[in-house]
Amino acid sequence: MAEVTFYGADWCSDCRRSKSLLNTLGVEYDMKDVEQDANLAAEAEGIAGRKNIPVVVFKDGEFMVEPTDAALHAALTSRGLI
């Protein structure tokens, strides 16, 4: 299991941006496409408490919704993932 679970969709520009950062930094993550599976969309909403994506969940249970690149980078750094 990866340290990061990523809930998002291909049409979402914030999702593309956050995924690009994860890929550039070489962070492994489990992708859960909320557009392809309504259960995953409900799961993401249950975590975040709202419908916004991306939802980035860390193995420690903390999560971020629509993080900026700086905030996501800081969260990854603080967890020793980069």
Side-chain angles (χ1 to χ4, degrees):
M1 178 175 173
E3 295 284 326
V4 177
T5 302
F6 188 95
Y7 293 86
D10 289 340
W11 53 263
C12 169
S13 60
D14 287 331
C15 297
R16 290 192 304 268
R17 179 183 44 75
S18 292
K19 278 176 50 178
S20 177
L21 180 64
L22 292 172
N23 292 333
T24 298
L25 296 173
V27 176
E28 291 186 34
Y29 58 93
D30 291 328
M31 176 65 195
K32 297 195 176 195
D33 189 332
V34 301
E35 184 175 28
Q36 299 300 316
D37 186 335
N39 292 323
L40 294 176
E43 195 175 302
E45 185 178 351
I47 293 165
R50 56 188 183 180
K51 293 184 181 288
N52 303 61
I53 53 174
V55 177
V56 181
V57 183
F58 300 99
K59 193 173 183 179
D60 63 11
E62 295 293 317
F63 66 91
M64 304 177 86
V65 181
E66 294 182 307
T68 64
D69 284 351
L72 182 54
H73 193 281
L76 295 166
T77 300
S78 71
R79 288 171 173 79
L81 299 176
I82 55 171

Coordinates of all heavy atoms in Angstrom, one line a residue:
M1 N 0.8 -1.2 0.0 CA 0.0 0.0 0.0 C 0.9 1.2 0.0 O 1.9 1.4 0.8 CB -0.9 0.0 1.2 CG -1.8 1.2 1.3 SD -2.9 1.0 2.7 CE -3.6 2.6 2.7
A2 N 0.5 2.2 -0.8 CA 1.3 3.4 -0.9 C 1.0 4.3 0.3 O 0.0 4.1 1.0 CB 0.9 4.2 -2.2
E3 N 1.9 5.2 0.5 CA 1.8 6.2 1.7 C 0.7 7.2 1.4 O 0.3 7.9 2.3 CB 3.1 6.9 1.9 CG 4.3 5.9 2.4 CD 4.1 5.5 3.8 OE1 3.7 6.4 4.6 OE2 4.5 4.4 4.1
V4 N 0.4 7.4 0.1 CA -0.6 8.4 -0.3 C -1.7 7.8 -1.1 O -1.4 7.0 -2.0 CB 0.1 9.5 -1.1 CG1 -0.9 10.5 -1.6 CG2 1.2 10.1 -0.3
T5 N -2.9 8.1 -0.8 CA -4.1 7.8 -1.7 C -4.6 9.1 -2.3 O -4.8 10.0 -1.6 CB -5.2 7.0 -0.8 OG1 -4.6 5.9 -0.2 CG2 -6.3 6.6 -1.7
F6 N -4.9 9.0 -3.6 CA -5.3 10.2 -4.3 C -6.6 10.0 -4.9 O -6.8 9.1 -5.8 CB -4.2 10.5 -5.4 CG -4.4 11.8 -6.1 CD1 -3.7 12.9 -5.7 CD2 -5.3 11.9 -7.2 CE1 -3.9 14.1 -6.4 CE2 -5.5 13.1 -7.9 CZ -4.8 14.2 -7.4
Y7 N -7.6 10.8 -4.5 CA -9.0 10.7 -5.1 C -9.1 11.9 -6.0 O -8.9 13.0 -5.6 CB -10.1 10.9 -4.0 CG -10.1 9.7 -3.0 CD1 -9.3 9.7 -1.9 CD2 -11.1 8.7 -3.2 CE1 -9.4 8.6 -1.0 CE2 -11.2 7.7 -2.3 CZ -10.3 7.6 -1.2 OH -10.4 6.6 -0.3
G8 N -9.4 11.6 -7.3 CA -9.5 12.7 -8.3 C -10.1 12.2 -9.5 O -10.7 11.1 -9.6
A9 N -10.1 13.0 -10.6 CA -10.7 12.7 -11.9 C -9.8 13.4 -12.9 O -9.2 14.5 -12.7 CB -12.1 13.2 -12.0
D10 N -9.8 12.8 -14.1 CA -9.0 13.4 -15.2 C -9.4 14.8 -15.7 O -8.6 15.6 -16.1 CB -9.0 12.4 -16.4 CG -8.3 11.2 -16.2 OD1 -7.4 11.1 -15.3 OD2 -8.5 10.2 -16.9
W11 N -10.7 15.1 -15.5 CA -11.2 16.4 -16.0 C -10.9 17.5 -15.1 O -11.0 18.7 -15.4 CB -12.7 16.3 -16.2 CG -13.5 15.8 -15.1 CD1 -13.9 14.6 -14.9 CD2 -13.9 16.6 -13.9 NE1 -14.6 14.5 -13.7 CE2 -14.5 15.7 -13.0 CE3 -13.7 17.9 -13.5 CZ2 -15.1 16.1 -11.8 CZ3 -14.2 18.3 -12.3 CH2 -14.9 17.4 -11.4
C12 N -10.4 17.2 -13.9 CA -10.2 18.2 -12.8 C -8.8 18.8 -12.9 O -7.8 18.1 -12.8 CB -10.4 17.5 -11.5 SG -9.8 18.5 -10.0
S13 N -8.7 20.1 -13.1 CA -7.4 20.8 -13.3 C -6.6 20.8 -12.0 O -5.4 20.6 -12.1 CB -7.6 22.2 -13.8 OG -8.4 23.0 -12.9
D14 N -7.2 20.9 -10.8 CA -6.5 20.8 -9.6 C -5.9 19.4 -9.4 O -4.8 19.2 -8.9 CB -7.4 21.2 -8.4 CG -7.7 22.7 -8.3 OD1 -6.8 23.5 -8.8 OD2 -8.7 23.0 -7.8
C15 N -6.7 18.4 -9.8 CA -6.2 17.0 -9.7 C -5.0 16.8 -10.6 O -4.0 16.2 -10.2 CB -7.3 16.0 -10.1 SG -8.8 16.1 -9.1
R16 N -5.1 17.3 -11.8 CA -3.9 17.2 -12.8 C -2.7 17.9 -12.2 O -1.6 17.3 -12.3 CB -4.3 17.7 -14.1 CG -5.3 16.9 -14.9 CD -5.4 17.3 -16.4 NE -5.8 18.7 -16.6 CZ -7.0 19.1 -16.7 NH1 -8.0 18.3 -16.6 NH2 -7.2 20.4 -16.9
R17 N -2.9 19.0 -11.6 CA -1.8 19.8 -11.0 C -1.1 19.0 -9.9 O 0.1 18.8 -9.8 CB -2.2 21.2 -10.6 CG -1.2 22.0 -9.9 CD -1.7 23.3 -9.4 NE -2.9 23.3 -8.7 CZ -3.1 22.8 -7.4 NH1 -2.0 22.4 -6.8 NH2 -4.3 22.8 -6.9
S18 N -2.0 18.5 -8.9 CA -1.4 17.8 -7.8 C -0.8 16.5 -8.2 O 0.3 16.1 -7.7 CB -2.5 17.5 -6.8 OG -3.0 18.7 -6.2
K19 N -1.4 15.8 -9.2 CA -0.8 14.5 -9.7 C 0.5 14.8 -10.3 O 1.5 14.0 -10.1 CB -1.7 13.8 -10.6 CG -2.8 13.0 -10.0 CD -3.8 12.4 -11.0 CE -3.2 11.7 -12.1 NZ -4.2 11.1 -13.0
S20 N 0.6 15.9 -11.1 CA 1.9 16.3 -11.7 C 3.0 16.5 -10.7 O 4.1 16.0 -10.9 CB 1.7 17.5 -12.6 OG 2.9 17.9 -13.1
L21 N 2.6 17.1 -9.6 CA 3.6 17.4 -8.5 C 4.1 16.0 -7.9 O 5.3 15.8 -7.8 CB 3.1 18.3 -7.4 CG 4.0 18.6 -6.3 CD1 5.2 19.3 -6.8 CD2 3.3 19.3 -5.2
L22 N 3.1 15.2 -7.6 CA 3.5 13.9 -7.1 C 4.4 13.1 -8.0 O 5.4 12.5 -7.6 CB 2.2 13.0 -6.7 CG 1.3 13.6 -5.6 CD1 0.0 12.8 -5.6 CD2 2.0 13.5 -4.3
N23 N 4.0 13.1 -9.3 CA 4.8 12.4 -10.3 C 6.2 13.0 -10.4 O 7.2 12.2 -10.5 CB 4.1 12.4 -11.6 CG 2.8 11.5 -11.6 OD1 2.7 10.6 -10.9 ND2 1.9 11.9 -12.5
T24 N 6.3 14.3 -10.5 CA 7.6 15.0 -10.6 C 8.5 14.7 -9.4 O 9.7 14.5 -9.6 CB 7.4 16.5 -10.7 OG1 6.6 16.8 -11.9 CG2 8.7 17.3 -10.8
L25 N 7.9 14.6 -8.2 CA 8.7 14.3 -7.0 C 8.9 12.8 -6.8 O 9.6 12.4 -5.9 CB 8.0 14.9 -5.8 CG 7.8 16.4 -5.8 CD1 6.9 16.8 -4.6 CD2 9.2 17.1 -5.7
G26 N 8.3 12.0 -7.6 CA 8.5 10.5 -7.5 C 7.8 9.9 -6.4 O 8.2 8.9 -5.9
V27 N 6.7 10.5 -5.9 CA 5.9 9.9 -4.8 C 5.0 8.9 -5.4 O 4.2 9.2 -6.3 CB 5.1 11.1 -4.1 CG1 4.2 10.5 -3.0 CG2 6.1 12.1 -3.6
E28 N 5.0 7.7 -4.8 CA 4.1 6.6 -5.2 C 2.7 6.9 -4.5 O 2.7 7.3 -3.3 CB 4.6 5.3 -4.8 CG 5.8 4.8 -5.5 CD 6.2 3.4 -5.2 OE1 5.3 2.6 -4.9 OE2 7.4 3.2 -5.2
Y29 N 1.7 6.7 -5.2 CA 0.3 6.9 -4.7 C -0.7 6.0 -5.3 O -0.5 5.5 -6.4 CB -0.1 8.4 -4.9 CG -0.2 8.8 -6.3 CD1 -1.3 8.8 -7.1 CD2 1.0 9.3 -6.9 CE1 -1.4 9.2 -8.4 CE2 1.0 9.8 -8.2 CZ -0.2 9.7 -8.9 OH -0.2 10.1 -10.3
D30 N -1.7 5.7 -4.6 CA -2.8 4.9 -5.1 C -3.8 5.8 -5.7 O -4.4 6.7 -4.9 CB -3.5 4.0 -4.0 CG -2.6 2.9 -3.5 OD1 -1.8 2.4 -4.3 OD2 -2.7 2.6 -2.3
M31 N -4.2 5.7 -7.0 CA -5.1 6.6 -7.6 C -6.5 6.0 -7.5 O -6.7 4.8 -7.9 CB -4.7 6.8 -9.1 CG -5.7 7.6 -9.9 SD -5.7 9.3 -9.3 CE -7.2 9.9 -10.1
K32 N -7.4 6.8 -7.1 CA -8.8 6.4 -7.0 C -9.6 7.4 -7.8 O -9.8 8.5 -7.4 CB -9.3 6.3 -5.6 CG -8.6 5.2 -4.8 CD -9.3 4.9 -3.5 CE -8.5 3.8 -2.8 NZ -9.4 3.2 -1.8
D33 N -10.1 6.9 -9.0 CA -10.8 7.8 -10.0 C -12.3 7.9 -9.6 O -13.0 7.0 -9.8 CB -10.6 7.3 -11.4 CG -11.1 8.2 -12.4 OD1 -12.0 9.0 -12.2 OD2 -10.6 8.1 -13.6
V34 N -12.6 9.1 -9.1 CA -14.0 9.2 -8.6 C -15.0 9.3 -9.7 O -16.2 9.1 -9.5 CB -14.1 10.5 -7.7 CG1 -13.2 10.3 -6.5 CG2 -13.8 11.8 -8.4
E35 N -14.5 9.6 -10.9 CA -15.4 9.7 -12.1 C -15.8 8.3 -12.5 O -17.0 8.1 -13.0 CB -14.8 10.5 -13.2 CG -15.7 10.7 -14.4 CD -15.1 11.5 -15.5 OE1 -13.8 11.5 -15.6 OE2 -15.9 12.2 -16.2
Q36 N -15.0 7.3 -12.4 CA -15.2 6.0 -12.8 C -16.0 5.1 -11.9 O -16.6 4.1 -12.3 CB -13.9 5.3 -13.1 CG -13.0 6.0 -14.2 CD -13.7 6.0 -15.5 OE1 -14.3 5.0 -16.0 NE2 -13.7 7.2 -16.2
D37 N -16.1 5.6 -10.6 CA -16.7 4.7 -9.6 C -17.4 5.6 -8.6 O -16.8 6.3 -7.8 CB -15.7 3.8 -8.9 CG -16.3 2.8 -8.0 OD1 -17.4 3.1 -7.4 OD2 -15.6 1.8 -7.7
A38 N -18.7 5.6 -8.5 CA -19.5 6.4 -7.6 C -19.2 6.1 -6.2 O -19.3 6.9 -5.3 CB -21.0 6.2 -7.9
N39 N -18.8 4.8 -5.9 CA -18.5 4.5 -4.5 C -17.2 5.2 -4.1 O -17.1 5.6 -2.9 CB -18.3 3.0 -4.4 CG -19.5 2.2 -4.6 OD1 -20.6 2.6 -4.1 ND2 -19.4 1.0 -5.2
L40 N -16.3 5.4 -5.0 CA -15.0 6.1 -4.7 C -15.4 7.6 -4.4 O -14.8 8.2 -3.6 CB -14.0 6.0 -5.8 CG -13.4 4.6 -5.9 CD1 -12.5 4.5 -7.1 CD2 -12.8 4.1 -4.7
A41 N -16.3 8.1 -5.2 CA -16.7 9.5 -5.0 C -17.3 9.7 -3.6 O -17.0 10.7 -2.9 CB -17.7 10.0 -6.1
A42 N -18.2 8.8 -3.2 CA -18.8 8.8 -1.9 C -17.7 8.7 -0.8 O -17.8 9.3 0.2 CB -19.8 7.7 -1.8
E43 N -16.7 7.8 -1.1 CA -15.7 7.6 -0.1 C -14.9 8.9 0.1 O -14.6 9.3 1.2 CB -14.7 6.5 -0.7 CG -13.8 5.9 0.3 CD -13.0 4.7 -0.3 OE1 -13.7 3.8 -0.8 OE2 -11.8 4.8 -0.4
A44 N -14.5 9.6 -1.0 CA -13.8 10.8 -1.0 C -14.6 11.9 -0.2 O -14.1 12.6 0.6 CB -13.4 11.3 -2.4
E45 N -15.9 12.0 -0.5 CA -16.8 12.9 0.2 C -16.9 12.6 1.7 O -16.9 13.6 2.5 CB -18.2 12.9 -0.5 CG -19.1 14.0 0.1 CD -20.4 14.1 -0.6 OE1 -20.6 13.4 -1.6 OE2 -21.3 14.8 0.0
G46 N -16.9 11.4 2.0 CA -16.9 11.0 3.4 C -15.7 11.4 4.2 O -15.7 11.8 5.3
I47 N -14.6 11.3 3.5 CA -13.3 11.7 4.1 C -13.2 13.2 4.3 O -12.9 13.8 5.3 CB -12.1 11.2 3.3 CG1 -12.0 9.7 3.3 CG2 -10.8 11.8 3.7 CD1 -11.1 9.1 2.2
A48 N -13.5 13.9 3.2 CA -13.4 15.4 3.1 C -14.5 16.2 3.7 O -14.4 17.3 4.1 CB -13.2 15.8 1.7
G49 N -15.7 15.5 3.7 CA -16.9 16.3 4.2 C -17.5 17.2 3.2 O -18.3 18.0 3.5
R50 N -17.0 17.1 2.0 CA -17.5 17.9 0.9 C -17.1 17.2 -0.5 O -16.4 16.2 -0.5 CB -16.9 19.3 0.9 CG -15.4 19.4 0.9 CD -14.9 20.8 1.2 NE -13.5 20.8 1.1 CZ -12.8 21.8 1.3 NH1 -13.3 23.0 1.5 NH2 -11.5 21.8 1.2
K51 N -17.7 17.7 -1.6 CA -17.5 17.0 -2.9 C -16.2 17.5 -3.6 O -15.9 16.9 -4.6 CB -18.7 17.3 -3.7 CG -19.9 16.6 -3.2 CD -21.1 16.8 -4.2 CE -22.4 16.2 -3.7 NZ -22.4 14.7 -3.8
N52 N -15.5 18.4 -3.1 CA -14.3 18.9 -3.8 C -13.2 17.9 -3.9 O -13.0 17.0 -3.1 CB -13.7 20.1 -3.0 CG -14.7 21.2 -2.8 OD1 -15.7 21.0 -2.2 ND2 -14.4 22.4 -3.3
I53 N -12.5 17.9 -5.1 CA -11.4 17.1 -5.3 C -10.2 17.9 -5.8 O -10.5 19.0 -6.3 CB -11.7 15.9 -6.3 CG1 -12.3 16.5 -7.6 CG2 -12.6 14.9 -5.7 CD1 -12.5 15.5 -8.7
P54 N -9.0 17.5 -5.7 CA -8.6 16.2 -5.2 C -8.6 16.1 -3.7 O -8.6 17.1 -3.0 CB -7.1 16.1 -5.7 CG -6.6 17.5 -5.8 CD -7.9 18.3 -6.2
V55 N -8.7 14.9 -3.2 CA -8.6 14.6 -1.8 C -7.3 13.7 -1.7 O -7.3 12.7 -2.4 CB -9.8 13.8 -1.2 CG1 -9.6 13.5 0.2 CG2 -11.1 14.7 -1.4
V56 N -6.4 14.2 -1.0 CA -5.1 13.5 -0.8 C -5.0 13.0 0.6 O -5.1 13.8 1.5 CB -3.9 14.4 -1.1 CG1 -2.6 13.7 -1.0 CG2 -4.0 15.0 -2.5
V57 N -5.0 11.6 0.8 CA -5.0 11.0 2.1 C -3.7 10.4 2.3 O -3.1 9.6 1.5 CB -6.1 10.0 2.2 CG1 -6.2 9.4 3.6 CG2 -7.5 10.5 1.8
F58 N -3.1 10.7 3.5 CA -1.8 10.1 3.9 C -2.1 8.9 4.8 O -3.1 8.7 5.4 CB -1.0 11.2 4.6 CG -0.7 12.4 3.8 CD1 -1.5 13.5 3.9 CD2 0.3 12.3 2.8 CE1 -1.3 14.6 3.1 CE2 0.5 13.4 2.0 CZ -0.3 14.6 2.2
K59 N -1.1 8.0 4.8 CA -1.2 6.8 5.6 C -1.5 7.0 7.0 O -2.1 6.2 7.7 CB 0.1 6.0 5.4 CG 0.0 4.5 5.8 CD 1.2 3.8 5.5 CE 1.1 2.3 5.9 NZ 2.3 1.5 5.5
D60 N -1.0 8.2 7.6 CA -1.3 8.5 9.0 C -2.7 8.9 9.2 O -3.1 9.3 10.4 CB -0.3 9.5 9.5 CG -0.4 10.9 8.8 OD1 -1.3 11.1 8.0 OD2 0.6 11.7 9.0
G61 N -3.5 9.0 8.2 CA -4.9 9.4 8.3 C -5.3 10.8 8.1 O -6.4 11.2 7.9
E62 N -4.2 11.7 8.1 CA -4.4 13.1 7.7 C -4.8 13.2 6.2 O -4.4 12.3 5.4 CB -3.2 13.9 8.0 CG -2.8 13.9 9.5 CD -3.9 14.7 10.3 OE1 -4.3 15.8 9.9 OE2 -4.2 14.2 11.4
F63 N -5.5 14.3 5.9 CA -5.8 14.4 4.5 C -5.8 15.9 4.1 O -5.9 16.8 5.0 CB -7.2 13.8 4.2 CG -8.4 14.5 4.9 CD1 -9.0 15.5 4.2 CD2 -8.8 14.1 6.1 CE1 -10.1 16.2 4.9 CE2 -9.8 14.7 6.8 CZ -10.5 15.8 6.1
M64 N -5.8 16.2 2.8 CA -5.9 17.5 2.3 C -6.9 17.5 1.2 O -7.0 16.6 0.4 CB -4.5 17.9 1.7 CG -3.4 17.8 2.7 SD -1.8 18.2 1.9 CE -1.8 20.0 2.2
V65 N -7.6 18.6 1.0 CA -8.6 18.8 0.0 C -8.1 20.0 -0.9 O -7.9 21.1 -0.3 CB -10.0 19.1 0.5 CG1 -11.0 19.2 -0.6 CG2 -10.4 17.9 1.4
E66 N -8.0 19.8 -2.2 CA -7.6 20.9 -3.1 C -6.3 21.6 -2.6 O -6.3 22.8 -2.5 CB -8.7 21.9 -3.3 CG -9.9 21.3 -4.0 CD -10.9 22.4 -4.3 OE1 -11.3 23.1 -3.4 OE2 -11.3 22.5 -5.5
P67 N -5.3 20.8 -2.3 CA -4.1 21.5 -1.7 C -3.3 22.3 -2.8 O -3.3 22.0 -3.9 CB -3.2 20.3 -1.2 CG -3.6 19.2 -2.2 CD -5.1 19.4 -2.4
T68 N -2.7 23.4 -2.3 CA -1.8 24.1 -3.2 C -0.6 23.3 -3.4 O -0.3 22.3 -2.5 CB -1.4 25.5 -2.6 OG1 -0.7 25.2 -1.4 CG2 -2.6 26.4 -2.3
D69 N 0.2 23.5 -4.4 CA 1.5 22.8 -4.6 C 2.4 23.0 -3.3 O 3.0 22.0 -2.9 CB 2.2 23.3 -5.8 CG 1.6 22.7 -7.1 OD1 0.7 21.8 -7.0 OD2 2.0 23.1 -8.2
A70 N 2.4 24.2 -2.8 CA 3.3 24.5 -1.7 C 2.8 23.7 -0.4 O 3.7 23.1 0.3 CB 3.3 25.9 -1.4
A71 N 1.6 23.6 -0.2 CA 1.0 22.9 1.0 C 1.2 21.4 0.8 O 1.6 20.7 1.8 CB -0.5 23.2 1.1
L72 N 1.0 20.9 -0.4 CA 1.2 19.4 -0.6 C 2.7 19.1 -0.5 O 3.1 18.1 0.1 CB 0.7 19.1 -2.0 CG 0.8 17.6 -2.4 CD1 0.2 16.7 -1.4 CD2 0.2 17.4 -3.8
H73 N 3.6 19.9 -1.1 CA 5.0 19.7 -0.9 C 5.4 19.7 0.5 O 6.2 18.8 1.0 CB 5.8 20.8 -1.7 CG 7.2 20.5 -1.9 ND1 8.1 20.7 -0.9 CD2 7.9 20.1 -3.0 CE1 9.3 20.4 -1.4 NE2 9.2 20.0 -2.6
A74 N 4.9 20.6 1.3 CA 5.2 20.7 2.7 C 4.8 19.4 3.5 O 5.5 18.9 4.3 CB 4.6 21.9 3.4
A75 N 3.6 19.0 3.2 CA 3.0 17.8 3.8 C 3.8 16.5 3.5 O 4.1 15.7 4.3 CB 1.6 17.6 3.4
L76 N 4.3 16.4 2.2 CA 5.1 15.3 1.8 C 6.5 15.4 2.5 O 7.0 14.4 2.9 CB 5.3 15.3 0.3 CG 4.0 15.1 -0.5 CD1 4.2 15.5 -2.0 CD2 3.5 13.7 -0.4
T77 N 7.0 16.6 2.6 CA 8.3 16.8 3.2 C 8.3 16.4 4.7 O 9.1 15.7 5.2 CB 8.8 18.2 3.0 OG1 8.9 18.5 1.6 CG2 10.2 18.4 3.7
S78 N 7.2 16.9 5.4 CA 7.1 16.6 6.8 C 6.9 15.1 7.1 O 7.3 14.7 8.2 CB 5.9 17.4 7.4 OG 4.7 16.9 7.0
R79 N 6.5 14.4 6.2 CA 6.3 12.9 6.4 C 7.5 12.1 5.8 O 7.5 10.9 5.9 CB 5.0 12.5 5.7 CG 3.8 12.9 6.4 CD 2.5 12.7 5.6 NE 1.3 13.0 6.4 CZ 0.9 14.3 6.6 NH1 1.5 15.3 6.0 NH2 -0.2 14.5 7.3
G80 N 8.5 12.8 5.3 CA 9.7 12.1 4.8 C 9.4 11.4 3.5 O 10.2 10.5 3.2
L81 N 8.4 11.8 2.8 CA 8.1 11.1 1.5 C 8.9 11.7 0.3 O 8.9 11.1 -0.7 CB 6.6 11.2 1.2 CG 5.7 10.5 2.3 CD1 4.2 10.7 2.0 CD2 6.1 9.0 2.4
I82 N 9.5 12.8 0.5 CA 10.4 13.4 -0.5 C 11.7 13.9 0.2 O 11.7 14.1 1.4 CB 9.8 14.5 -1.3 CG1 9.2 15.6 -0.4 CG2 8.7 14.0 -2.2 CD1 8.8 16.8 -1.2

